């Protein structure tokens, strides 16, 4: 059985040190905003809540990619071709910037998906709506909550940019621009990926399951796969000063691992244990997410099964029994097993390439273990 992502992030105190950087950032934000009065305190507390409990997987992929490509605690990269001299602290700060960007994406994503919970607690827009309603304030509680969450996402984006600026401040200009180029590409792709996700949710569904699956995978790659694994690995490699060909090979491994990571997430969104995932059972079905898993079920279902999926997927009044009925269609068509197979088809060659790569230890071995944990996880 693979180790959990969280336990692997703790090696070399990566999680501990990234957590400290994030805590310092929140503390500085609290001081910066205190002159605006106590009304803004809930915003800082919401950012702090979102940053707590994360697996720090992206920061870990960045750090161990840096180590694998020659980075060391001495702050030098073996054979650095771009004049990079990234210190361990700089790499960890880039990891913290990734985590802050992740927080921003989650604040916004929960609004767009109308999610009730995040890591077992009310999502930010739900929390602020409840505060509004409980206080008896004027206007729509729902609109207030959504507005607060959108602004929290923006606040986290600003924090991410600040942390990245601190991380690269000591690098030569060419290296600084190269790292920023990777980070900016990631942010742009995720934002466009979010739009593609919204577009897929709005367009006709179920008429052509093959085309549906391709659109779902396009969303996965743009919105999740690249920024979950590929870009963090590319950032670590760039901080180590690799050449363009090495960076291309790094991306070629990171993308399929990232896609497998998201496909695992889709399975957990339907079949995961709420006590482990922190989300209600079958939450993705209630939200109506148009995933590869659902497209495979539609492709293999009989007429009654297809009608059930198309009618009940995303229904606001979907009951626990209705979720069980949808799960039964997925299992009956073998869609869950097909997605498991697709995960293996993506992850196995990428992990094999990592295992065979001429990379520095312990970075190479840690990347292999992180990749395995990411695609085999239960949370």
């Amino acid at each position: 059985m693979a180790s959990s992502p969280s336990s692997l992030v703790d090696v070399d105190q990566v999680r501990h040190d990234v957590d400290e950087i994030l805590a310092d950032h929140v503390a500085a934000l609290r001081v910066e905003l205190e002159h605006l009065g106590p009304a803004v305190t809930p915003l800082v507390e919401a950012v702090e809540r979102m940053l707590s409990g994360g697996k720090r997987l992206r920061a870990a992929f960045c750090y161990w990619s840096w180590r694998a490509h020659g980075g060391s605690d001495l702050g030098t990269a073996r054979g650095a071709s771009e004049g990079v001299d990234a210190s361990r602290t700089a790499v960890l700060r880039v990891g913290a910037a990734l985590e802050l960007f992740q927080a921003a994406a989650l604040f916004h994503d929960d609004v767009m998906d109308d999610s009730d919970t995040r890591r077992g607690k009310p999502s930010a827009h739900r929390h602020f709506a409840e505060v509004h309603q409980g206080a008896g304030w004027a206007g729509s509680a729902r609109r207030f909550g959504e507005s607060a969450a959108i602004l929290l996402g923006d606040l986290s984006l600003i924090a991410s940019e600040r942390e990245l600026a601190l991380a690269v401040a000591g690098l030569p200009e060419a290296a600084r621009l190269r790292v920023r180029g990777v980070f900016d590409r990631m942010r742009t792709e995720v934002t466009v990926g979010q739009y593609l996700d919204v577009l897929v949710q709005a367009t006709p569904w179920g008429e052509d399951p093959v085309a549906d699956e391709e659109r779902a995978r396009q969303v996965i790659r743009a919105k999740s796969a690249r920024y979950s694994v590929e870009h963090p690995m590319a950032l670590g490699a760039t901080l180590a000063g690799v050449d363009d060909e090495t960076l291309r090979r790094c991306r070629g491994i990171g993308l399929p691992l990232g896609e497998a990571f998201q496909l695992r997430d889709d399975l957990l969104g339907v079949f995961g244990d709420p006590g482990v995932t922190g989300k209600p059972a079958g939450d993705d079905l209630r939200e109506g997410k148009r995933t590869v898993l659902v497209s495979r079920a539609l492709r293999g279902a009989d007429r009654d099964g297809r009608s059930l999926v198309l009618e009940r997927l995303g229904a606001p009044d979907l009951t626990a029994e209705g979720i069980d009925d949808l799960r039964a269609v997925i299992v009956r068509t073998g869609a869950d097993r097909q997605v498991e197979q697709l995960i293996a088809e993506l992850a196995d060659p990428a992990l094999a390439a990592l295992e065979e790569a001429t990379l520095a230890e312990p970075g190479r071995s840690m990347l292999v273990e992180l990749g395995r944990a990411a695609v085999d996880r239960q949370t």
Side-chain angles (χ1 to χ4, degrees):
M1 179 180 295
S3 301
S4 72
S6 296
S7 66
L8 291 170
V9 174
D10 285 336
V11 178
D12 263 20
Q13 287 195 309
V14 174
R15 179 177 185 142
H16 173 272
D17 292 344
V18 170
D19 282 348
E20 279 200 341
I21 293 169
L22 293 171
D24 288 346
H25 204 109
V26 172
L29 183 64
R30 184 175 279 110
V31 171
E32 181 182 359
L33 298 180
E34 64 183 1
H35 73 284
L36 296 176
V40 302
T41 300
L43 291 177
V44 180
E45 291 174 344
V47 172
E48 189 173 33
R49 281 196 301 273
M50 182 62 86
L51 291 172
S52 66
K55 291 184 282 291
R56 309 294 181 240
L57 195 63
R58 292 160 184 84
F61 272 116
C62 177
Y63 175 82
W64 289 111
S65 179
W66 173 69
R67 291 290 301 274
H69 289 94
S72 75
D73 289 347
L74 299 177
T76 57
R78 182 184 61 191
S81 63
E82 298 294 331
V84 179
D85 186 20
S87 68
R88 180 178 187 276
T89 299
V91 178
L92 293 171
R93 281 195 178 279
V94 171
L98 284 166
E99 295 298 325
L100 286 161
F101 179 73
Q102 161 79 344
L106 294 179
F107 279 126
H108 289 163
D109 204 41
D110 284 345
V111 172
M112 287 184 282
D113 289 345
D114 202 21
S115 299
D116 291 326
T117 61
R118 170 62 60 185
R119 294 171 184 155
K121 299 176 182 178
S123 52
H125 65 288
R126 289 281 188 264
H127 169 75
F128 280 90
E130 290 168 3
V131 169
H132 180 287
Q133 190 169 20
W137 293 337
S140 165
R142 180 184 180 91
R143 286 293 299 274
F144 177 83
E146 291 174 346
S147 298
I150 290 169
L151 293 169
L152 282 165
D154 294 344
L155 195 61
S156 299
L157 280 173
I158 294 168
S160 175
E161 171 58 29
R162 283 179 164 181
E163 200 58 59
L164 180 67
L166 289 170
V168 302
L171 299 180
E173 183 179 6
R176 187 167 62 248
L177 291 173
R178 198 164 182 243
V179 172
R180 277 195 164 277
V182 177
F183 209 93
D184 289 346
R185 175 179 168 184
M186 176 193 73
R187 290 187 286 199
T188 301
E189 284 184 352
V190 171
T191 302
V192 173
Q194 291 278 32
Y195 169 75
L196 291 175
D197 195 14
V198 172
L199 179 64
V200 164
Q201 295 295 121
T203 52
W205 172 262
E207 297 174 0
D208 185 350
V210 175
D212 291 340
E213 176 171 329
E214 182 49 42
R215 285 193 293 269
R217 291 186 67 175
Q218 182 184 35
V219 170
I220 284 176
R221 296 182 196 111
K223 177 183 171 181
S224 180
R226 289 193 168 94
Y227 107 102
S228 294
V229 181
E230 179 190 339
H231 287 308
M233 285 181 62
L235 281 165
T238 302
L239 286 161
V242 302
D243 58 28
D244 289 343
E245 176 59 24
T246 302
L247 185 61
R248 185 192 64 77
R249 289 197 300 269
C250 179
R251 288 188 177 281
I253 291 171
L255 178 57
L257 280 179
E259 189 170 357
F261 171 87
Q262 182 57 46
L263 289 169
R264 173 64 60 199
D265 201 57
D266 291 344
L267 282 171
L268 291 172
V270 174
F271 297 103
D273 179 353
V276 178
T277 65
K279 296 181 69 176
D283 206 35
D284 283 3
L285 299 174
R286 187 176 287 107
E287 292 175 9
K289 289 189 177 179
R290 297 179 174 183
T291 61
V292 173
L293 180 66
V294 174
S295 71
R296 291 287 178 106
L298 284 171
R299 192 189 308 185
D302 58 20
R303 186 173 64 178
D304 290 342
R306 282 176 55 82
S307 295
L308 177 67
V309 172
L310 293 173
E311 290 172 7
R312 304 306 296 156
L313 183 70
D317 59 346
L318 188 63
T319 63
E321 183 179 358
I323 287 173
D324 286 341
D325 290 341
L326 288 172
R327 282 201 195 103
V329 174
I330 291 170
V331 173
R332 190 163 58 245
T333 60
D336 55 333
R337 298 186 296 278
Q338 292 172 29
V339 171
E340 286 282 5
Q341 179 61 34
L342 182 56
I343 289 172
E345 290 171 1
L346 288 163
D348 289 353
L351 291 171
L354 264 181
E355 289 176 337
E356 296 168 3
T358 306
L359 296 172
E361 295 290 4
R364 184 194 63 80
S365 294
M366 287 301 301
L367 284 177
V368 171
E369 289 304 307
L370 274 170
R372 286 177 179 154
V375 300
D376 293 338
R377 73 193 195 286
Q378 297 301 311
T379 61

